[in-house]
């Protein structure tokens, strides 16, 4: 059984901006003595809910949009084209090596916007709190969200807070929706993928899923693996600025690389052929996958994506990506062909070719 | 104890467009024999999740934006100003007289957009499903959402589905975020409210909260009361088209009229004085409130709003509102004064004046 200790690491290593704008670990602005945990009344629309929102949430998120305190916020948009997305986050545990549910809820949504080639600009934040959640836990999460939003260059402009009875939730769920501004004329979508495209992977696979797995109680292995959770809009926008004709982008979350490739191949009606030897997998991730019987190609990531570009632009695209820490290990891992026996095929390390199928059922529940 | 039977009513009576576009009660597109309930794997990112999304959710929601099947959707926006909002819905029971969690999740969010004077255009839809939820229940809810979206004139353009273990959720939570287009130059916000404004209420109070209460198990009273859940953008946009100088709009959800008025008075630093006799309350709602010890001014509504306009425009604004079924009972209920002893005061039926405070704790949990 592998047994390794945790190495301290900076979870912000992948962001260019240091999250110094908002200092974490300030004292909780609600009296922990008076309200050590969340009560049903914190979601009731009355005085306690307003106190929670004003003191705890607004003190972390405060900005001119939120401060208007209206049912919806009014935004000025600099382009007639925007990207819009949403994700709920139900991850357990709430805090894990390399991140927490708050930073994940920011990264996941800004990354979905980036996958349309948009510059993430505004996000919403809706909490579903379980009665009995420690107030201090919520405070840690909102601080983390503010830090992650600052680092990703987005503002949290509107929100909602609901409370459900103990046993009807699981501590804390977060939904974020996001708006990004599009200032390119590319059609970045699965349907734009075509034979002759190169497939570029932005970095090593599987760290998020394995970090979550290793941090769950009752597991008998430990690793130093940190989640790869990070915002990836920077390198994507750099590709666009460099004039790379991006056909499709996809982040490799639930279902991992295998599901992403199968989804795209199905929509585009092509074959995607991948070279297993080209796919970087951290040694500890590989070891953990072997122990657990997982395939790293199915494991979830939260800071990894693939890019489809015309083959002749692949080298230049890789060079652009490698200039950004979050995609420093970018490389070509395969190419797109006319439709063949299977949507996605894999040339294995020993040279044989096999079908790379989508994950069938559930591998790791609640990893995002 | 009051005991009344339920009268059948058309929950769509408040919408101008009949929801005939999508036929409800089609057979569930997923085999109920094979998958009678939601499994953890339906959220795992693999084949089962794709089947659930493709067959069940997409068959109800399908539109060109969703059909692109990308991480975020690209929208063309006709105005440089948009409104953006989000709400999660955790209501119990999922189905209630006059609506369900699906229609509510559409109405609540389009109404929040309308409260900025925006034309609701796009919404997102994120489900948090509890393992064991009946597949048929989800199918009913997505059909209801599609109907409500059609009736409100919005498209569901992006979404997400997560599954949590049995006992870690409560059947079904929904988050919707919304985008609306603003084509007016008004500054509709609490801070715009000023002395001399008239306060207009769009209709009777308390039906949503009491309908939910009455439909909960274990309660010993029955009513024919239907929720007022309905989209209200129509009358709001009509006010703008009529050139009414709207200072503020607010829908009367959690916390009811009392909380809405207190929030606005606090931000605007004014006194709002309300005439109790002018506030319409359905006789059964009044009776139920008396039995339960509730104040209708604190009870939640899902199709009611207040408008602040200059007093000289009040009559014309009321006339415009009364042309729409959802606000046919609109009337002036009070006025805004310079700040006084209390943010909100109420002239009671017997002529005395009292402070109208915000709800202190929890009145009806999980009514939205």
């Amino acid at each position: 059984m592998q047994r390794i200790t945790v190495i301290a690491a900076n979870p912000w290593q992948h962001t260019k901006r240091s999250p110094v704008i908002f200092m974490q670990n300030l004292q909780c602005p609600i009296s922990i003595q008076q309200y050590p945990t969340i009560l049903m009344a914190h979601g009731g629309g009355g005085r306690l809910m307003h106190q929670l929102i004003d003191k705890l949430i607004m003190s972390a998120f405060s900005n001119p949009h939120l401060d208007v305190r209206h049912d919806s916020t009014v935004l000025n948009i600099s382009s007639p084209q925007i990207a819009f997305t949403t994700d709920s986050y139900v991850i357990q545990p709430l805090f894990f090596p390399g991140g927490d549910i708050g930073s994940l809820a920011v990264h996941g949504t800004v990354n979905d916007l980036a996958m349309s080639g948009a510059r993430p600009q505004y996000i919403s934040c809706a909490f579903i709190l379980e009665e009995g959640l420690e107030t201090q836990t919520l405070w840690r999460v909102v601080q983390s969200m503010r830090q992650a939003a600052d680092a990703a260059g987005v503002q949290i402009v509107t929100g909602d807070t609901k409370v459900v009875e103990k046993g009807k939730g699981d501590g804390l769920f977060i939904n974020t929706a996001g708006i990004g501004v599009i200032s390119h004329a590319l059609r970045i979508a699965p349907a734009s993928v075509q034979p002759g495209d190169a497939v570029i992977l932005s970095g090593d696979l599987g760290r998020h899923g394995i970090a979550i797995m290793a941090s769950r109680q009752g597991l008998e292995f430990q690793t130093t693996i940190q989640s790869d959770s990070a915002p990836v809009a920077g390198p994507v926008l750099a590709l666009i600025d460099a004039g790379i004709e991006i056909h499709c982008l996809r982040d490799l979350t639930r279902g991992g690389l295998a599901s992403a490739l199968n989804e795209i191949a199905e929509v585009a009606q092509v074959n995607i052929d991948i070279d297993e030897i080209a796919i970087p997998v951290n040694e500890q991730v590989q070891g953990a996958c072997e122990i657990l019987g997982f395939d790293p190609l199915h494991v979830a990531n939260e800071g990894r994506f693939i890019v489809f570009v015309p083959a002749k632009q692949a080298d230049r695209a890789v060079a652009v990506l490698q200039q950004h820490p979050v995609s420093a290990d970018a490389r070509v891992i395969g190419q797109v062909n006319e439709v063949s026996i299977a949507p996605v095929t894999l040339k294995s390390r020993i040279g044989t070719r096999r079908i790379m199928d989508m994950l069938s059922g559930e591998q790791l529940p609640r990893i995002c």
Side-chain angles (χ1 to χ4, degrees), chain A residues 23-280:
Chain A
M23 291 301 296
Q24 201 162 355
N25 298 320
L26 293 175
Q27 200 185 340
C28 181
I30 285 185
S31 163
I32 299 292
Q33 275 72 41
Q34 198 178 358
Y35 296 110
T37 62
I38 297 297
L39 311 173
M40 284 305 291
H42 281 124
R47 202 161 288 286
L48 268 187
M49 186 177 97
H50 285 88
Q51 190 185 82
L52 180 76
I53 291 171
D54 283 358
K55 289 201 180 173
L56 196 149
I57 296 175
M58 294 291 280
S59 70
F61 291 171
S62 178
N63 64 52
H65 290 288
L66 270 184
D67 296 349
V68 172
R69 289 159 195 251
H70 199 40
D71 292 322
S72 54
T73 190
V74 176
L75 306 173
N76 288 302
I77 296 291
S78 59
S79 158
Q81 267 205 335
I82 62 172
F84 181 38
T85 190
T86 189
D87 262 328
S88 296
Y89 299 86
V90 299
I91 192 166
Q92 272 294 343
L94 299 178
F95 302 89
F96 51 84
D100 59 72
I101 190 171
S103 56
L104 186 70
V106 174
H107 296 161
T109 291
V110 301
N111 288 351
D112 279 347
L113 295 172
M115 294 304 109
S116 286
R119 183 180 299 279
Q121 203 160 6
Y122 302 113
I123 63 172
S124 63
C125 169
F127 292 111
I128 299 177
L129 310 177
E130 184 191 15
E131 181 188 19
L133 174 72
E134 287 190 9
T135 308
Q136 183 69 31
T137 299
L138 179 60
W139 176 233
R140 284 175 64 193
V141 169
V142 299
Q143 288 179 95
S144 171
M145 288 191 80
R146 171 62 191 261
Q147 284 195 320
D150 285 346
V154 294
Q155 275 188 303
I156 300 166
V157 293
T158 188
D160 178 51
T161 305
K162 294 289 192 304
V163 182
V164 296
E165 300 88 346
K166 199 164 178 62
K168 302 293 185 184
D170 197 13
L172 172 60
F173 301 143
I174 302 178
N175 177 281
T176 49
I179 293 176
V181 171
I182 294 177
S183 42
H184 61 76
L186 300 166
R187 199 180 118 65
I188 298 172
S192 301
V193 169
Q194 52 189 260
D197 283 357
V199 186
I200 299 169
L201 172 63
S202 70
D204 68 318
L205 291 186
R207 284 200 282 120
H208 179 71
I210 297 302
I212 301 307
M213 202 66 187
S215 64
R216 291 212 173 130
Q217 292 180 337
L219 290 182
E220 296 186 359
F221 75 98
Q222 285 186 328
T223 70
T224 61
I225 300 160
Q226 296 238 334
S227 165
D228 58 298
S229 177
V232 301
V236 168
L237 294 169
L239 287 175
I240 293 170
D241 289 345
I244 301 294
E245 191 195 318
I246 300 170
H247 287 167
C248 192
L249 291 157
R250 180 61 58 103
D251 56 352
L252 308 177
T253 54
R254 278 182 293 178
L257 176 67
S259 284
L261 291 173
N262 272 282
E263 282 168 42
I264 291 168
E266 196 178 312
V267 173
Q269 290 291 302
V270 294
N271 162 261
I272 304 175
D273 192 42
I274 298 297
D275 194 358
E276 189 174 23
I277 214 160
I279 297 172

Side-chain angles (χ1 to χ4, degrees), chain A residues 251-330:
Chain A
D251 56 352
L252 308 177
T253 54
R254 278 182 293 178
L257 176 67
S259 284
L261 291 173
N262 272 282
E263 282 168 42
I264 291 168
E266 196 178 312
V267 173
Q269 290 291 302
V270 294
N271 162 261
I272 304 175
D273 192 42
I274 298 297
D275 194 358
E276 189 174 23
I277 214 160
I279 297 172
V281 180
N282 170 295
E283 203 178 317
Q284 288 186 43
V285 170
Q286 188 67 52
C289 281
E290 280 164 17
I291 292 167
L292 296 163
F294 290 164
D295 184 341
L297 305 179
H298 287 149
V299 177
N301 315 274
E302 289 292 342
R304 293 288 173 261
F305 59 99
I306 45 174
V307 197
F308 292 80
V309 301
K312 64 178 189 300
Q313 294 193 330
D315 288 347
R316 198 153 60 86
V318 167
V320 170
L321 292 174
Q322 287 178 346
Q323 286 168 28
H324 292 256
V326 74
S327 51
D329 282 338

